[in-house]
Amino acid sequence: MDIIFQDPDLLWLLLLLPVLILLRGRTGRAAAVEFSSVAIARKVSGAARSRAGGVLFSLRLLGLAALIVALARPQLPKHQDEVEASGIDIVLVLDLSGSMASVDMSEGRNLVTRVDTAKKVMADFIEERPNDRIGMVAFAVNPYLVSPITLNHDWLLQNLERLHLGIIDGSGTAIGSALGMATNRLRDLPSKSRVIILLTDGDNNSGAISPIAAAEAAAAYKIKVYTIGVGATHPEPVPQTDDQGRILTDQDGQPIYYTDPYGRQILDDGINSDDLQRIAQITNGKFYRATAASQLQQIYADINAQEKSVARLRHYSTYLELFYWPALLGLALIGLEQLLSQTRLRRLP
């Protein structure tokens, strides 16, 4: 970053230095010793001028130049932009129950779980709203806070990426408890709009709070809830996953599904669309249904368009003062000139 001067007009004083050089050259330097004959003292006066006069005068000029630069106050600007609060706070709520391992939303031959599909779409949504404060809650048998509401979206995306099936107990689906936790993160914030986006593929079968009671609490705090039901319209088999949430496959590359003692595939319970619709209705939100990744992308795009936020950018400039460096240099040079004039380069009286 370029250095600027607070009082640049004072730099014109540097033009006086060549004038001082010119005047000194014309008048010469007074001889240290007077003689009756100039011819006799010519060699002595020349030596004095070239040695003491030249060195000391150069130190003085450099010192004056440095002091003039210091008077002009050189500064190093540091520009900073700060985004004012947009007025919209959002909590993303993601289901991590075991049924989210289903691969019915895969496109092509690449097997992708519902969770991985949801994570990708949620990451795109976060990146498209750089000026909103966003938090995240994940849930299965119990909810847990992935990230408090923050403008640090890089950190938020890192935490989203770390989520996978098996990171928490996935044997249940506590929709009501998750909705209650998200409401608690938003209820005391003085924002213009507070929004929860709840994504799940099942029915509430765990937790101490019913989804409808949690929705009524959210509505009391004027929190809008968008609900998204993902997955096929009919029960789907649930593939097994490893401890990192990756699908286990057989030697033919086919998913290995959970089975009951009789060898029959275990199916998920399916989505309780009635509860999700009721939650959205109570909170003045909207219910969506997604059976494919492209539909889920369109749903988040629709929510993104509905929840408009206006960012106001404030510009700040702070300055690092540098004047003391040339000031110290100037004083040091003039001090050195005075020291030499009284010691090694001292003039005779």
Side-chain angles (χ1 to χ4, degrees):
M1 193 171 290
D2 296 333
I3 293 175
I4 64 172
F5 292 90
Q6 178 69 24
D7 300 306
D9 291 341
L10 292 178
L11 294 176
W12 290 103
L13 293 175
L14 292 172
L15 296 178
L16 295 177
L17 300 183
V19 175
L20 293 177
I21 296 172
L22 181 62
L23 292 176
R24 182 179 184 279
R26 295 184 56 149
T27 59
R29 183 169 179 88
V33 180
E34 294 184 358
F35 292 85
S36 59
S37 172
V38 174
I40 297 173
R42 180 175 297 136
K43 292 184 179 181
V44 176
S45 63
R49 182 164 56 251
S50 63
R51 183 181 176 188
V55 172
L56 297 178
F57 187 67
S58 297
L59 289 174
R60 187 176 301 173
L61 285 178
L62 290 174
L64 289 173
L67 290 176
I68 290 172
V69 171
L71 287 174
R73 288 185 62 191
Q75 299 172 328
L76 186 65
K78 294 183 178 179
H79 298 290
Q80 181 179 1
D81 295 332
E82 179 178 310
V83 179
E84 294 185 3
S86 69
I88 296 181
D89 292 325
I90 302 171
V91 174
L92 303 175
V93 182
L94 176 62
D95 188 349
L96 287 183
S97 61
S99 57
M100 288 290 286
S102 295
V103 295
D104 55 333
M105 298 182 72
S106 300
E107 296 181 346
R109 302 184 64 181
N110 185 30
L111 294 178
V112 181
T113 65
R114 292 172 180 172
V115 165
D116 289 333
T117 301
K119 284 170 57 177
K120 182 181 182 303
V121 176
M122 290 169 68
D124 293 339
F125 178 83
I126 292 169
E127 291 177 347
E128 290 175 2
R129 303 190 71 92
N131 302 318
D132 292 324
R133 298 195 303 174
I134 302 176
M136 190 177 302
V137 171
F139 71 98
V141 169
N142 296 297
Y144 85 97
L145 183 66
V146 178
S147 169
I149 295 174
T150 179
L151 274 171
N152 187 348
H153 291 180
D154 288 338
W155 186 81
L156 181 65
L157 289 169
Q158 290 174 11
N159 280 277
L160 173 61
E161 181 60 29
R162 282 193 282 265
L163 293 179
H164 60 79
L165 293 170
I167 197 172
I168 57 176
D169 184 356
S171 61
T173 306
I175 296 175
S177 297
L179 188 56
M181 176 177 284
T183 298
N184 286 335
R185 307 308 300 185
L186 288 169
R187 66 181 187 178
D188 296 324
L189 297 179
S191 47
K192 179 185 71 175
S193 180
R194 291 168 289 185
V195 174
I196 295 172
I197 304 176
L198 169 68
L199 184 147
T200 183
D201 70 343
D203 186 14
N204 186 81
N205 54 24
S206 183
I209 306 173
S210 74
I212 303 306
E216 290 172 347
Y221 290 106
K222 295 181 170 50
I223 297 172
K224 186 185 300 184
V225 182
Y226 293 96
T227 55
I228 305 173
V230 296
T233 56
H234 51 81
E236 283 286 311
V238 180
Q240 298 181 34
T241 57
D242 62 16
D243 56 2
Q244 295 299 315
R246 295 183 292 256
I247 301 169
L248 298 180
T249 57
D250 58 23
Q251 58 185 359
D252 297 323
Q254 297 301 312
I256 300 174
Y257 294 100
Y258 285 104
T259 57
D260 62 19
Y262 301 100
R264 295 173 298 190
Q265 292 180 346
I266 297 176
L267 305 180
D268 64 30
D269 295 331
I271 299 170
N272 187 334
S273 297
D274 292 340
D275 271 1
L276 296 182
Q277 288 177 333
R278 183 64 178 147
I279 291 169
Q281 180 183 15
I282 291 172
T283 61
N284 197 31
K286 189 173 181 180
F287 167 67
Y288 296 92
R289 191 75 173 82
T291 58
S294 57
Q295 288 180 325
L296 189 59
Q297 290 173 335
Q298 184 56 48
I299 288 169
Y300 274 92
D302 182 65
I303 297 173
N304 187 38
Q306 290 189 55
E307 295 297 328
K308 293 290 187 181
S309 63
V310 179
R312 292 175 293 173
L313 196 63
R314 291 170 23 182
H315 300 276
Y316 296 90
S317 292
T318 57
Y319 300 93
L320 178 63
E321 294 285 353
L322 303 176
F323 71 91
Y324 46 85
W325 293 112
L328 290 173
L329 177 62
L331 293 174
L333 291 172
I334 292 176
L336 180 60
E337 182 249 349
Q338 292 296 316
L339 178 64
L340 292 176
S341 67
Q342 299 298 321
T343 56
R344 183 176 179 83
L345 301 181
R346 182 177 182 180
R347 292 177 54 203
L348 296 176

